[in-house]
């Protein structure tokens, strides 16, 4: 049986890494009491809270946190007609927080994620590990069997090409979970009592050409490098599919990272996932996706972007055209999703004009 860490009495980190360069994005429909547990690690940072559901509901945030909160009325006011690209009644609404942030880095976490313990019993500062992952290179072109060669105490193994040891910039850090695993509904139904108790002390780069099922509940990324592609799609209310928002974004960002020679890491840090969602509710949300993914994944595996696509926005627009061309025959939803992808980029660029980011 694995338990969350007890952080009562731990002091707030006096020297937080990247304090002025990172926002924490949290989607929620409830009071954020879980932040009390995270206070030693997260209080120094600025929070962007995206309130889903009823905008008239008051969300309580523990004292001492610096935050801004957006509800659906705010999204509609800020984006106008383009607000249609932001999902409603789904955690995919979190990507609005990515859009309005002005920081270089984003850490996003769900409100049912608690502080984990490492095998020694020490509380895991998940954000600090994500930052370490993002600040050191990735090695997507050749797999290092000793996992991350840039970690202290590790290196490139014999036979690793010296020409590739410099690595590439890391765009995404994908963390994992103790206790409740991130399972789909059929797996939840056949393994209702299964819990993840294995803490694997490893970080690895996902190789170029390999897709992965990205989970959005414990995730960090370099907004300057990959932010415009971190769109969690159209999910939830009024859509035929749910619980594929983070995975859709993951497939998109992986194709684009491979094209732009950027890295994606997975492994540490762990969080403690406190509660399992209802598998029957999840099955209603997922059932079309379970069939569709058998077509969607080969689509992304074979997606090729042109040499002319040299920015994330250009890559994403090309990918949206491929979605419309190749997946619309699967279901009319994908034609709508492709249009939403374009709308997302238009809205992103309106809120983040190149001059504001100091980019050409």
């Amino acid at each position: 049986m694995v338990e969350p860490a007890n952080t009562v009495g731990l002091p707030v980190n006096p020297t937080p890494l990247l304090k002025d360069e990172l926002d924490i994005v949290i989607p929620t429909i409830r009071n954020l009491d879980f932040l009390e547990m995270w206070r030693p690690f997260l209080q120094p940072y600025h929070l962007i809270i995206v309130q889903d559901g009823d905008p008239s509901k008051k969300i309580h945030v523990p004292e001492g946190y610096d935050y801004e909160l957006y509800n659906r009325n705010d999204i509609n006011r800020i984006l106008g007609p383009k607000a249609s690209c932001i999902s409603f009644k789904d955690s995919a609404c979190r990507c609005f927080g990515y859009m309005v942030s002005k920081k270089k880095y984003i850490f996003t976490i769900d409100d049912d994620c608690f502080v984990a313990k490492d095998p020694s019993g020490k509380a895991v500062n998940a954000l600090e590990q994500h930052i370490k992952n993002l600040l050191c290179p990735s090695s997507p072109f050749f797999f290092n069997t000793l996992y991350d060669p840039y970690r202290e105490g590790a290196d490139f193994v014999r036979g690793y090409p010296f020409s590739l040891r410099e690595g590439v910039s890391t765009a995404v850090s994908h963390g994992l979970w103790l206790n409740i695993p991130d399972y789909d509904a059929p797996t939840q139904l056949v393994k209702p009592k299964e819990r993840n108790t294995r803490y694997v002390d490893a970080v690895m780069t996902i190789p170029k050409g390999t897709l992965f099922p990205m989970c959005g509940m414990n995730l960090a990324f370099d907004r300057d490098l990959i932010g415009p592609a971190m769109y969690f799609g159209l999910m939830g209310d009024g859509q035929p599919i749910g619980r594929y928002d983070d995975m859709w974004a993951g497939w998109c960002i992986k194709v684009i990272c491979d094209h732009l020679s950027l890295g994606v890491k997975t492994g540490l840090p762990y969080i403690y996932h406190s509660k399992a969602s209802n598998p029957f509710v999840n099955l209603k949300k997922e059932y079309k996706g379970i069939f569709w993914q058998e077509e969607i994944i080969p689509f992304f595996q074979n997606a090729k972007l042109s040499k002319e696509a040299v920015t994330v926005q250009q890559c994403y627009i090309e990918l949206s055209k491929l979605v419309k061309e190749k997946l619309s025959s699967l279901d009319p939803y994908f034609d709508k999703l492709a249009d939403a992808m374009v709308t997302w980029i238009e809205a992103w660029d309106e809120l983040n004009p190149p001059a504001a980011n100091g980019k050409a």
Side-chain angles (χ1 to χ4, degrees):
M1 181 87 176
V2 63
E3 298 288 343
N6 182 0
T7 61
V8 175
L10 288 181
V12 175
N13 186 356
T15 56
L17 297 174
L18 303 180
K19 175 181 178 295
D20 298 322
E21 299 179 64
L22 184 144
D23 278 334
I24 299 171
V25 174
I26 304 171
T28 193
I29 58 171
R30 58 182 63 88
N31 292 334
L32 296 182
D33 299 331
F34 88 112
L35 286 173
E36 287 291 355
M37 172 180 278
W38 284 100
R39 189 180 293 278
F41 307 131
L42 302 189
Q43 183 178 318
Y45 295 89
H46 179 68
L47 310 182
I48 298 178
I49 300 164
V50 184
Q51 179 181 346
D52 199 14
D54 182 3
S56 67
K57 181 179 178 181
K58 176 71 174 177
I59 298 292
H60 173 259
V61 181
E63 290 187 11
Y65 278 94
D66 173 43
Y67 70 92
E68 52 192 298
L69 187 150
Y70 298 93
N71 60 35
R72 192 70 202 188
N73 293 337
D74 299 314
I75 295 172
N76 292 338
R77 172 178 53 82
I78 293 168
L79 296 185
K82 292 184 175 65
S84 61
C85 71
I86 304 298
S87 299
F88 185 59
K89 295 185 179 178
D90 192 279
S91 64
C93 68
R94 79 177 76 222
C95 61
F96 177 77
Y98 310 159
M99 182 185 287
V100 297
S101 171
K102 302 303 177 187
K103 305 289 180 62
K104 177 173 172 57
Y105 300 101
I106 295 288
F107 170 50
T108 185
I109 186 172
D110 284 3
D111 58 18
D112 62 350
C113 294
F114 299 165
V115 179
K117 292 187 292 190
D118 68 15
S120 73
K122 181 181 178 182
V124 175
N125 185 344
L127 177 52
E128 183 177 75
Q129 180 63 52
H130 275 302
I131 291 171
K132 290 178 179 179
N133 291 349
L134 290 171
L135 292 183
C136 75
S138 292
S139 52
F141 305 122
F142 200 89
F143 187 76
N144 192 58
T145 52
L146 201 55
Y147 306 119
D148 192 343
Y150 306 102
R151 285 188 73 190
E152 185 177 349
D155 211 325
F156 295 97
V157 297
R158 181 171 56 89
Y160 199 100
F162 283 89
S163 60
L164 296 177
R165 295 190 181 196
E166 185 177 350
V168 301
S169 297
T170 302
V172 179
S173 172
H174 178 256
L176 299 175
W177 346 268
L178 294 175
N179 195 39
I180 306 295
D182 187 31
Y183 285 162
D184 53 37
T187 309
Q188 283 183 291
L189 287 167
V190 298
K191 295 183 174 182
K193 296 182 179 180
E194 184 157 294
R195 300 293 182 264
N196 181 36
T197 61
R198 297 177 65 235
Y199 185 104
V200 180
D201 186 16
V203 179
M204 65 184 73
T205 299
I206 301 174
K208 181 178 181 179
T210 301
L211 297 176
F212 74 112
M214 189 173 83
C215 173
M217 76 171 91
N218 175 23
L219 180 72
F221 61 92
D222 186 321
R223 189 173 174 275
D224 287 352
L225 290 180
I226 200 63
M230 272 292 180
Y231 176 48
F232 278 40
L234 284 178
M235 303 282 158
D237 193 50
Q239 309 303 332
I241 185 174
R243 284 175 53 84
Y244 274 81
D245 52 328
D246 43 7
M247 289 186 287
W248 178 265
W251 297 326
C252 291
I253 63 98
K254 190 57 169 64
V255 169
I256 293 172
C257 283
D258 286 353
H259 179 75
L260 297 178
S261 295
L262 298 170
V264 178
K265 291 189 173 185
T266 189
L268 300 178
Y270 282 86
I271 51 85
Y272 179 93
H273 188 203
S274 65
K275 63 182 177 65
S277 48
N278 186 308
F280 296 99
V281 173
N282 290 346
L283 187 59
K284 287 180 66 176
K285 296 177 179 179
E286 292 176 3
Y287 78 97
K288 286 192 175 181
I290 291 169
F291 290 106
W292 288 348
Q293 71 183 17
E294 302 305 317
E295 302 290 335
I296 296 171
I297 292 172
F299 160 76
F300 280 107
Q301 288 172 327
N302 293 293
K304 303 297 180 187
L305 303 176
S306 73
K307 293 180 180 179
E308 289 71 34
V310 295
T311 68
V312 175
Q313 283 93 331
Q314 289 169 346
C315 291
Y316 203 71
I317 292 298
E318 282 198 8
L319 201 52
S320 73
K321 292 176 181 177
L322 291 173
V323 169
K324 186 178 283 284
E325 177 187 342
K326 303 290 187 180
L327 293 180
S328 292
S329 60
L330 186 60
D331 192 275
Y333 164 75
F334 291 97
D335 191 65
K336 183 179 179 181
L337 176 56
D339 291 339
M341 293 168 71
V342 175
T343 301
W344 160 265
I345 291 295
E346 292 172 350
W348 181 284
D349 285 345
E350 285 182 8
L351 292 184
N352 302 275
N357 292 331
K359 299 174 185 174

